[in-house]
Amino acid sequence: MALKLGDLPNELLIKIFHRNRLSNDDMCTVARTCKHFSKVVIPLIYSNVKVKRRANDERTFGLIQSITDNPSRAELILKLSFSWSNNGTTFREDQERIVQFLLRRTTRLQILKLKVITLSQYAMPFPVVSGAFLHVNPMTALRRVEVAYVNITWETLGKFLLLPQMSAVFFTPMDQDPDRIDEHLPQRPADRQSRIEYLAIEGHPKSVQHVHELLRWSDNLRALLFDFGSYTTLNINGPSTLQKFLAPISQTLFFLDLQGCHTDDFHCATVDFSNFPVLKTLGISQSLLFPTFFEQDGEYSVEPYTRNGLYLRLPKKLEDLTVFFDFGSAILDHQYHTIRHNFVNEEYDWIEELAIFKPDFLPNLKRVRFTEHSDANRESHDVMQLRPWSTPKAVKTLFETRDINLKVLIRSYSVLRNGLSDANGAENVVNFSQRRLLELDV
């Protein structure tokens, strides 16, 4: 007798009816075919739920009704995503009720995503999602949270980090109004540490103290991505140096990406990464790495000291190094100033040192990338707006010999020459170093 589809074991039916093969509508159709298929497919349908709000969404209300009629189906949801369009204008009171309804019932939830899409302009205020659901649902299985352009309170964020299975949190807050977002972390029990391994936060000045406290909660943080924003106010209760800010995680961190700038009081340049024993990937803003002072409300940066000796401050196990140079700074000239010193006097000894001293100080170094902000967009590192540096032959040969991939991207500078604007490219404003000129003569 011929084998029927329904005769196959459930393990095979799960693979056949998986959402990678069928659309959600098709899976719902299969579930209505018979009780056997319904038993197989319904857990697949509910395992990954996406609540999208562009207008009135009948599917969302159908989901709410289904869980209301069958409460056990909420326990099937392992991954839950919410998204709101039009800069969050579709997030209204009914949406907060929907979020709370689902999050109070999804006791086996593993991954949670909250985001606002269609960011054509930053319309304030952005949605704030209450953490009230955590008072009802312990969320003991939750291990990953992604929040983008939706605000949650610092108390909620802290509670997320203290969940028993939490390993990754990605948080991009958009609203900096303390009247809408409280500035208090929850009280951490003395016997509880965070198990977080990956933490990414786009911050603002008021968040530095809180993030530092969150770092102290973790005893196994492996990757940190943090944007200081414009750190213009030094909080006396927060860390006074970048070294102290990173100290709680220096022994476990293998990936670090730090962006933003700081005040002269926050001594970023004293940071020494050589005591980070397992750090392999470092991406950092120039103003956080080199001694930098800011003029005219932080628009122009000034580096009073040479960059030589950078290799001494890098971790022994470093494999990848990326440094982003803010608008108003230059890779090839630490004294570059967009007003007073707008020509670039080429200097690259500090770059060359990375290859020269690799055997003794950076034996694992494989990739080095330096890139500037483009003139076209101060907030962007768009490669299309940048040009590769014409690397001197001696430097190129040295890096190739040391098996290091070197990439240096510089902006197409626009300067005034004899009262006229000249934007013909970097070659017109870079004064070659004496070493390069000697190389050219040969």
Side-chain angles (χ1 to χ4, degrees), residues 64-126:
I64 298 300
Q65 188 62 52
S66 174
I67 292 178
T68 301
D69 296 338
N70 303 277
S72 62
R73 290 186 176 178
E75 298 179 3
L76 301 175
I77 300 177
L78 305 179
K79 182 178 180 180
L80 180 57
S81 303
F82 296 92
S83 62
W84 298 277
S85 63
N86 300 326
N87 297 348
T89 57
T90 52
F91 185 97
R92 302 187 181 97
E93 289 185 10
D94 64 319
Q95 290 296 295
E96 172 67 10
R97 290 195 296 270
I98 290 172
V99 171
Q100 295 297 326
F101 177 89
L102 292 174
L103 293 183
R104 286 168 181 260
R105 290 162 174 80
T106 49
T107 57
R108 297 178 60 227
L109 188 65
Q110 297 179 8
I111 299 175
L112 171 62
K113 297 183 179 182
L114 302 159
K115 68 177 180 179
V116 165
I117 55 178
T118 319
L119 293 170
S120 57
Q121 58 182 348
Y122 293 131
M124 294 294 186
F126 279 86

Side-chain angles (χ1 to χ4, degrees), residues 284-395:
I284 189 168
S285 172
Q286 154 263 342
S287 64
L288 300 178
L289 184 62
F290 300 109
T292 305
F293 302 101
F294 293 91
E295 299 180 347
Q296 297 186 11
D297 297 326
E299 185 173 358
Y300 306 112
S301 60
V302 178
E303 292 180 43
Y305 310 112
T306 178
R307 296 171 182 160
N308 289 4
L310 172 62
Y311 70 94
L312 293 170
R313 295 194 288 129
L314 297 178
K316 184 90 171 180
K317 292 189 176 181
L318 187 67
E319 296 180 1
D320 292 82
L321 173 65
T322 301
V323 182
F324 298 99
F325 286 76
D326 303 323
F327 184 85
S329 64
I331 296 172
L332 300 176
D333 186 352
H334 76 279
Q335 293 184 334
Y336 173 78
H337 194 290
T338 53
I339 295 179
R340 295 197 306 266
H341 180 185
N342 57 7
F343 282 80
V344 175
N345 292 322
E346 187 181 53
E347 55 181 40
Y348 50 84
D349 289 356
W350 65 279
I351 298 177
E352 194 174 32
E353 287 178 345
L354 298 174
I356 292 174
F357 296 104
K358 173 182 175 176
D360 296 325
F361 292 89
L362 303 166
N364 299 325
L365 189 61
K366 299 176 182 177
R367 288 168 289 275
V368 173
R369 182 173 183 260
F370 302 121
T371 180
E372 297 176 344
H373 280 304
S374 69
D375 279 344
N377 183 356
R378 295 189 182 191
E379 305 300 324
S380 172
H381 289 291
D382 185 357
V383 176
M384 298 302 293
Q385 302 293 338
L386 302 171
R387 296 186 180 186
W389 177 42
S390 178
T391 312
K393 291 181 181 179
V395 175

Side-chain angles (χ1 to χ4, degrees), residues 186-295:
Q187 187 69 31
R188 177 176 64 93
D191 60 344
R192 186 185 302 180
Q193 288 290 113
S194 170
R195 301 183 65 179
I196 189 80
E197 294 184 8
Y198 306 92
L199 179 62
I201 300 183
E202 265 192 43
H204 56 86
K206 294 179 182 178
S207 70
V208 173
Q209 178 185 352
H210 296 316
V211 174
H212 179 244
E213 181 64 21
L214 294 178
L215 299 184
R216 294 174 59 190
W217 290 5
S218 174
D219 57 5
N220 191 37
L221 191 67
R222 304 176 66 195
L224 173 66
L225 295 86
F226 181 60
D227 187 343
F228 285 89
S230 296
Y231 192 18
T232 55
T233 303
L234 184 64
N235 190 319
I236 59 174
N237 296 318
S240 59
T241 68
L242 184 57
Q243 193 81 44
K244 292 180 179 179
F245 176 80
L246 296 172
I249 55 173
S250 63
Q251 301 304 298
T252 60
L253 211 59
F254 78 90
F255 180 97
L256 178 61
D257 189 308
L258 294 175
Q259 301 303 321
C261 59
H262 61 90
T263 63
D264 300 341
D265 295 326
F266 189 68
H267 302 292
C268 296
T270 60
V271 65
D272 184 355
F273 292 105
S274 65
N275 63 351
F276 287 59
V278 296
L279 186 59
K280 294 183 178 181
T281 301
L282 174 62
I284 189 168
S285 172
Q286 154 263 342
S287 64
L288 300 178
L289 184 62
F290 300 109
T292 305
F293 302 101
F294 293 91
E295 299 180 347

Side-chain angles (χ1 to χ4, degrees), residues 387-406:
R387 296 186 180 186
W389 177 42
S390 178
T391 312
K393 291 181 181 179
V395 175
K396 183 178 181 181
T397 300
L398 177 60
F399 273 80
E400 290 176 348
T401 302
R402 297 295 196 210
D403 197 23
I404 303 174
N405 180 275
L406 174 66

